[in-house]
């Protein structure tokens, strides 16, 4: 390919020519198609602005990997081009020594901002904010704001729609000035005469609270303060939206047992190991569930047809339960269900469970009857699936709320726990009903 | 509860007092806890602005249901308070007669905007834009823009950071004016002297393309034009972000067989029916897979222990395959994998499959050997799971890309297809290997 040729010739200009016209996601895909050690070589050859755009486009774990493999000199140049919230995300994930090497090569003021930002958790206002704020003092005038606009110090886009914030001598925001009052007031007027009190958020405000605030208010950005009231940054609507999207995607991956935001461009041993961790825990749960079958081998030996239906009952119940899990996960993320709503959720689910259990039990019962020509086998299989559907949706609906309540991540644990319980219950129902009705089945 | 009391007394002011101080998601949850027919009564009693905030907070299907049950007079009042893109989303989903009744009661200009917007698909620029744009003509001056700022006609937040767009006599955007040049130019200057050429997007530009554009550029909004070039609205960064989040959540629900963005506040018959549709299709697939077991009943009857391991092999392979599906879905949504990358994806997956298949096969093989005291049983079960893991990750990785290529939604079909194939393959591998090694197993 042309890309590899430009790379082998160390031709940064040609690399830029090839990648720059592409949409970012396409350019990143091209980069990721290179062998892993060459990706960072390519990044170092590119103009720092373009390299920074690619790093920003990459999911976090990948961005960190790309930066880690660059020389600290080039890495510092690329990182200087990022927004301060992204700088902190990347540097916060590096090895301490790597981070230090890069920080000492950065502009000291920017480096200080990053050191401040990495202290915050990712999913609170402090971790989502940028350090740069458009601030003025109590003595500043309208004219001074307009001059800063005009002097290219402020740029609506770069500041994601920040308004001018007025700080007192302690650095606490005491007012915010609207664009409208700026352009309709004489230049010599003090900002303190036209400002309105600001809505501020605490640096430890969690993502969900920020989501609520931005849903209720049209603001494009909100000033972030520490407990003592001084301004530490500004969190933008778009940073919150992006964090919500990332969380939704990562939760969807975790539900399927994929951790660490795997991409196929990551090293094979890492991908295999991460997936295996979850799978091997799952094997243990499977052995537990299967032990129920082992306890009924005599029944199975007598009515071998049961073995045909065991995986069906287990799979169908798992599906019904996972539907309920999915609805609960969504209601949790929308704030429409809270851990204390477990009883209400259970009641809503059990109603669905009774209807669907009846229908599915009837369907599979008729299938079993017709297939094996024994109505009692239909009764056993249909009855077991019907009851187990009710169990599955009850557990599926309530489990995510309970896990959340005890501080566990429902995306991780709901699925495996659910299927283990419904497998055990399903096997038990089929085999114990069959044991009880044995004379009618053979 | 207080809410129900205020409702039974038809006390709108008290209702507003109870709901207004709550975060919107909490207020919506309170509303949804009311019986379904009372929710819209409550909305009608609330001040239209608050009712509109609640409708906007509600997921789309629910918002439509709430509006549908209100009188068209009150519904029109509430809808007038929404942004035009949300107006179109709600009205577009109503029955034609209901929509007409509401539209005729709205301000004619707003109604005309909505009629225009509902014509666009939800996930293209036209469906995501607002109709209101901050526009000027070629003869307008800087002073005129500043006067409109000052006259409260423009509000940075309401317009989500729109810049002034200059239209020619055909209504085509020919320039955009930065805030910086506005405040640093004399008031009598023509906008045409300071404008720069605008980046416009076509009304049919899909969501992914818009995502790329906003990733590459810092704009807060982009003007949307029809094929003939005239401006029809403005799409904001936050509208794109919200649409991406909705799509991620809805795709996560669909993967688990939940359609129509179910919430537990929806009517029971609807919820049960929607879930059943998917489950009953799944039963058919399960019967197909189980027929493989039925074909080997003699083998099973001879080695009843196999029945213990069949569900384990099927479940573990399904899990491995679903991990691969999840990674593919994510890479599709990030633009890092395209349908034509199927071979590359397969190669990346099969490497993981060989490693994980070996480890899992070994694990379960040892378990089977120890449990039943027969090393050959371990060989059969372990070998089957090992091979089936490779099959499962291959199919799981590639299937979403193939479905996308033939225009199917990979979120819907990947899971059921995957598990059916891996179940069949798993059952076949276990039972045919066992049949071949029969003398060693009994």
């Amino acid at each position: 390919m042309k890309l590899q040729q430009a790379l082998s010739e160390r031709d940064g200009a040609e690399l830029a020519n090839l990648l720059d016209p592409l949409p970012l996601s396409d350019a990143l895909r091209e980069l990721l198609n290179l062998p892993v050690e060459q990706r960072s070589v390519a990044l170092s050859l590119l103009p720092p602005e373009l390299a920074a755009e690619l790093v920003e486009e990459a999911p976090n774990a990948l961005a960190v990997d790309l930066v880690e493999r660059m020389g600290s000199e080039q890495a510092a140049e690329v990182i200087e081009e990022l927004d301060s919230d992204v700088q902190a995300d990347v540097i916060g994930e590096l090895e301490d020594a790597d981070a230090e090497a890069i920080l000492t090569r950065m502009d000291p003021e920017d480096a200080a901002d990053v050191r401040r930002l990495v202290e915050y958790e990712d999913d609170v206002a402090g971790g989502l904010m940028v350090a740069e704020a458009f601030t003025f003092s109590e003595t500043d005038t309208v004219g001074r704001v307009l001059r800063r606009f005009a002097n290219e110090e402020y740029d609506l886009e770069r500041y994601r729609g920040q308004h001018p914030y007025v700080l007192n001598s302690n650095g606490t925001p005491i007012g915010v000035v609207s664009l409208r009052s700026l352009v309709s007031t004489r230049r010599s007027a003090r900002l303190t005469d036209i400002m309105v009190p600001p809505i501020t958020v605490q640096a430890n405000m969690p993502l969900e609270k920020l989501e609520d605030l931005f849903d209720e208010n049209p603001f494009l950005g909100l000033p972030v303060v520490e407990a003592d009231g001084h301004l530490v940054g500004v969190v933008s609507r778009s940073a919150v939206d992006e964090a919500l999207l990332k969380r939704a995607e990562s939760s969807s991956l975790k539900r399927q047992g994929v951790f660490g935001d795997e991409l196929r461009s990551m090293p094979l041993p890492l991908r295999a190991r991460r997936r295996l961790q979850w799978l091997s825990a799952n094997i243990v749960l499977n052995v537990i569930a299967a032990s129920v079958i082992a306890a009924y081998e005599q029944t199975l030996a007598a009515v071998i047809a049961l073995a045909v239906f065991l995986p069906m009952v287990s799979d169908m119940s798992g599906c019904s339960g996972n539907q309920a899990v999915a609805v609960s996960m969504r209601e949790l993320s929308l704030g429409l269900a809270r851990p204390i709503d477990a009883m209400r959720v259970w009641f809503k689910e059990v109603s669905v469970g009774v209807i669907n259990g009846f229908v599915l039990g009837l369907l599979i019962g008729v299938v079993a009857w017709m297939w094996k020509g024994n109505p009692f086998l239909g009764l056993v299989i249909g009855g077991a699936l019907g009851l187990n559907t009710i169990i599955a949706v009850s557990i599926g609906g309530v489990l995510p709320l309970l896990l959340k309540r005890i501080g566990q991540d429902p995306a991780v644990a709901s699925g495996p726990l659910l299927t283990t319980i419904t497998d055990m219950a399903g096997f038990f129902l089929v085999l114990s009903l069959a044991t009880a009705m044995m004379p009618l089945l053979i």
Side-chain angles (χ1 to χ4, degrees), chain A:
Chain A
M1 285 145 59
K2 289 186 188 163
L3 204 63
Q4 293 221 296
Q5 195 185 337
L7 188 58
S8 64
E9 291 167 6
R10 295 280 181 276
D11 185 348
E14 176 62 15
L15 276 175
N17 279 342
L18 290 168
L19 293 176
D20 210 13
L22 299 178
L24 268 182
S25 52
D26 291 351
L28 182 62
R29 194 180 52 240
E30 295 293 334
L31 185 70
L32 295 181
N33 284 346
L34 295 172
V36 67
E37 62 284 0
Q38 298 212 22
R39 294 175 197 156
S40 300
V41 177
L43 274 189
S44 315
L45 292 169
L46 287 174
E49 308 82 54
L50 179 55
E53 284 187 10
L54 289 167
V55 168
E56 185 151 15
E57 172 78 6
N60 218 358
L62 182 66
V64 171
D65 184 62
L66 288 171
V67 169
E68 216 156 29
R69 293 168 191 272
M70 292 174 76
S72 52
E73 193 70 51
Q74 285 101 332
E77 266 184 51
V78 171
I79 286 194
E80 284 272 14
E81 300 289 328
L82 297 169
D83 284 341
S84 56
D85 55 337
V86 185
Q87 291 178 338
D89 287 348
V90 173
I91 294 204
E93 298 282 322
L94 292 175
E95 303 282 325
D96 283 352
D98 291 341
E100 211 41 55
I102 294 175
L103 283 168
T104 53
R105 282 172 177 79
M106 284 172 63
D107 174 82
E109 211 171 304
D110 291 346
D113 278 345
V114 172
R115 286 179 206 275
R116 211 154 49 73
L117 293 185
V118 293
E119 297 299 316
Y120 297 102
E121 300 288 322
D122 282 348
D123 55 352
V124 300
L128 298 165
M129 71 189 183
V130 291
E132 303 84 6
F134 193 50
T135 58
F136 294 85
S137 75
E138 291 171 278
T139 53
D140 280 331
T141 60
V142 168
R144 170 134 170 75
V145 178
L146 296 182
R147 276 196 305 280
R148 276 186 59 189
F149 271 134
N151 288 341
E152 317 227 346
E153 278 180 53
Y154 174 86
D155 160 351
L156 182 69
E157 256 81 40
R158 195 166 94 80
Y159 278 94
R160 302 264 169 114
Q162 283 186 31
H163 286 294
Y165 302 112
V166 181
L167 306 186
N168 68 12
S169 52
N170 298 325
T172 300
I174 54 168
V176 56
V177 179
S178 75
L179 198 56
R180 179 184 303 147
S181 49
L182 276 179
V183 299
S184 58
T185 313
R186 58 180 207 294
R187 293 197 162 218
S188 59
R190 288 282 187 92
L191 294 178
T192 45
D193 295 333
I194 57 168
M195 70 189 188
V196 296
I199 294 186
T200 60
V201 301
Q202 294 288 321
N204 61 1
M205 181 180 273
L207 184 56
E208 305 82 65
K209 281 262 167 23
L210 289 168
E211 182 187 13
D212 274 339
L213 264 181
F214 279 111
D215 275 354
E216 279 155 52
N217 299 292
F219 309 121
L220 295 170
L222 286 169
V224 181
V225 296
E226 268 299 347
D228 65 1
H230 80 270
L231 183 86
V232 287
V234 176
V235 60
S236 70
R237 175 181 289 270
S238 55
V240 169
D241 284 339
E242 279 162 27
L244 289 169
L245 180 60
K246 266 193 201 165
R247 192 173 63 173
E249 285 180 341
S250 143
S251 146
S252 179
L253 280 173
K254 277 190 280 185
R255 285 209 54 200
Q256 309 295 333
V258 181
F259 295 87
D261 292 347
E262 176 184 333
L263 296 173
R264 296 217 168 80
S265 47
M266 292 175 176
L268 174 61
L270 180 71
R271 295 168 57 219
R273 195 175 64 234
R274 282 189 180 160
R275 292 199 199 175
L276 263 180
Q277 275 169 1
W278 185 79
L279 291 171
S280 37
N282 222 11
I283 267 200
V284 176
L285 296 177
N286 262 291
V287 170
I288 295 172
S291 62
V292 174
I293 307 181
Y296 285 93
E297 282 193 11
Q298 284 191 317
T299 305
L300 265 177
V303 191
I304 201 71
L306 292 171
V308 177
F309 292 98
L310 283 178
M312 285 181 74
V313 170
S314 127
D315 182 70
M316 290 302 300
S317 313
C319 287
S320 291
N322 270 317
Q323 288 181 325
V325 170
V327 176
S328 281
M329 296 292 297
R330 174 140 182 274
E331 294 204 337
L332 275 175
S333 89
L334 290 173
L336 296 179
R338 296 159 304 178
I340 61 161
D341 294 325
M343 273 308 292
R344 189 178 61 79
V345 163
W346 177 74
F347 183 75
K348 291 270 186 187
E349 274 308 320
V350 88
S351 324
V352 174
V354 168
I355 297 176
N356 289 7
F358 180 79
V359 175
L360 296 175
L362 196 67
L363 272 175
I364 206 174
V366 170
V367 168
W369 175 11
M370 295 296 152
W371 198 346
K372 301 291 168 187
N374 184 332
F376 299 104
L377 182 72
L379 202 61
V380 167
I381 304 293
L385 180 60
L387 288 173
N388 208 34
T389 300
I390 298 174
I391 295 173
V393 295
S394 300
I395 294 173
V398 174
L399 195 58
L401 308 189
L402 298 184
L403 286 167
K404 179 100 179 180
R405 192 178 205 158
I406 60 170
Q408 297 297 309
D409 183 349
V412 178
S414 297
L417 278 177
L418 169 80
T419 45
T420 307
I421 302 174
T422 56
D423 279 3
M424 293 181 76
F427 298 150
F428 172 76
L429 284 168
V430 170
L431 294 167
S432 62
L433 283 176
T435 308
M437 295 176 66
M438 186 60 83
L440 299 167
L441 294 175
I442 24 184

